[in-house]
Amino acid sequence: MSSLRPTLADVAATAGVSVSTASLAFSGAGPIAGTTRERVLAAATELGYSGPNPLGRQLRQGRSGIVGVVVGDALRRSFRDPVSVQVLDGLVGALGELGLGVLLIPGSNDPSEPPVDPLVLSAAMDVAVLMWGGTLHDPVLDALRRRNTPLVVVEGQQLDGVAAVGIEDRSGTTLAVRHLLELGHTRIAVVTLPFDRTRGEGPATDERIDGIVYEVTRRRLGGVTDAGVVPTVVYETPASLVEHGAAAGRAILSGPDRPTAIVAQSDLLASGVVLAARELGLSVPGDVSVAGFDGLDLPWLAPDVLTSVAQPLAEKGAAVGAQVAELLAGGTPERVVLPVALRIGTTTGPVPV
């Protein structure tokens, strides 16, 4: 026997069978007598052999057993965002039931760095999931297509030959804006997610808005105009974090002609706006109404409960997992678009008199 860890050949020799027969005993398939299988397994137990190397078996099958998930931002920011965490939780749970592992790959978040992480170019993966990406000129998408890696794009642009999972975020944003219009608001500002890799911060010019690259930002801003509203200001933020929403809120609400309502493209941004209003001595919703997007449970914002467009976060992750399974089975998944719903909280009210 080998002086190192026991091998399948050692087990075969001890059991008095060929290596191919020993392999069949572990696979549970093929023509092999029950007594022979028992003899092989007994030899394995005697030698302390736990079974064939699963990586080797996967590679022989042309599979790595790994799904690469490009998160679209730096991991340190993604894990501070409950939206990212809940979607990933739903996805990882679905993939775990399939016996698949997950490789998390950070998105590009610094324009001075290469736009494509080296793992996108070289890591073994059976399917890639591109979170919050999939624009026409996305270099990550292009790199994965060159590798002929099966793809699922989450909340990106609908592309030919690419599986996709999205939500009704444009129409959901319209619901939130119409709710504000029904309350009498006409001066409405918007706090947005990032426009592109440069992750700018501050009031956006018309030229800047016309050049929005990220599809989620563009769609949700489109939902505002669909409601017939021209925002008093469109304030771009570099990430969906509370501190960026607070900075936007302070800037928007400190001016002499402040809006009576603010729509934010995420709940974390909206909660930051609420905190900024409190800091400035403004009442929410007495002086300013605030609406968000995501439907997160934010107990630390008490006594306020955000008015928000709720999306099915865990279900979205599970839907991505189902598309991964279909791709691995050789299928062509149909695009999935999940519904959203307006959840009215305490942060929106009638326009101030």
Side-chain angles (χ1 to χ4, degrees), residues 39 50 118 138 176 182 230 240 261 288 325:
R39 191 164 73 249
S50 58
D138 188 334
E182 290 168 358
V230 177
S240 178
V288 61

Side-chain angles (χ1 to χ4, degrees), residues 177-252:
V177 176
R178 286 177 177 165
H179 165 64
L180 293 170
L181 292 173
E182 290 168 358
L183 292 170
H185 296 277
T186 56
R187 290 184 290 121
I188 301 172
V190 180
V191 177
T192 77
L193 295 165
F195 286 10
D196 54 29
R197 289 183 64 227
T198 63
R199 296 182 179 273
E201 186 169 19
T205 63
D206 290 343
E207 181 180 9
R208 177 75 176 150
I209 293 171
D210 289 341
I212 293 175
V213 172
Y214 291 165
E215 291 297 324
V216 174
T217 306
R218 178 180 294 279
R219 280 198 307 271
R220 295 184 189 181
L221 192 55
V224 177
T225 57
D226 288 350
V229 168
V230 177
T232 60
V233 63
V234 175
Y235 195 101
E236 177 188 4
T237 69
S240 178
L241 294 176
V242 175
E243 57 262 37
H244 295 311
R250 284 190 291 269
I252 294 171

Side-chain angles (χ1 to χ4, degrees), residues 87-280:
V87 173
L88 286 171
D89 185 58
L91 172 58
V92 170
L95 297 180
E97 293 179 359
L98 299 171
L100 298 170
V102 174
L103 172 65
L104 291 180
I105 303 174
S108 174
N109 62 92
D110 186 342
S112 66
E113 296 177 353
V116 180
D117 190 281
L119 288 171
V120 172
L121 304 174
S122 61
M125 60 183 86
D126 299 327
V127 177
V129 174
L130 189 53
M131 308 290 284
W132 304 290
T135 60
L136 279 177
H137 306 293
D138 188 334
V140 175
L141 179 70
D142 292 341
L144 291 168
R145 280 178 145 177
R146 286 194 298 271
R147 291 187 62 183
N148 293 318
T149 303
L151 275 167
V152 181
V153 172
V154 183
E155 290 193 67
Q157 191 171 69
Q158 187 168 356
L159 304 169
D160 292 339
V162 177
V165 173
I167 59 172
E168 296 175 343
D169 51 356
R170 182 164 183 152
S171 60
T173 301
T174 300
L175 288 175
V177 176
R178 286 177 177 165
H179 165 64
L180 293 170
L181 292 173
E182 290 168 358
L183 292 170
H185 296 277
T186 56
R187 290 184 290 121
I188 301 172
V190 180
V191 177
T192 77
L193 295 165
F195 286 10
D196 54 29
R197 289 183 64 227
T198 63
R199 296 182 179 273
E201 186 169 19
T205 63
D206 290 343
E207 181 180 9
R208 177 75 176 150
I209 293 171
D210 289 341
I212 293 175
V213 172
Y214 291 165
E215 291 297 324
V216 174
T217 306
R218 178 180 294 279
R219 280 198 307 271
R220 295 184 189 181
L221 192 55
V224 177
T225 57
D226 288 350
V229 168
V230 177
T232 60
V233 63
V234 175
Y235 195 101
E236 177 188 4
T237 69
S240 178
L241 294 176
V242 175
E243 57 262 37
H244 295 311
R250 284 190 291 269
I252 294 171
L253 296 173
S254 296
D257 189 27
R258 66 173 183 259
T260 63
I262 297 176
V263 176
Q265 291 189 344
S266 79
D267 279 354
L268 292 188
L269 292 174
S271 64
V273 172
V274 172
L275 296 178
R278 292 177 182 174
E279 179 185 317
L280 294 170

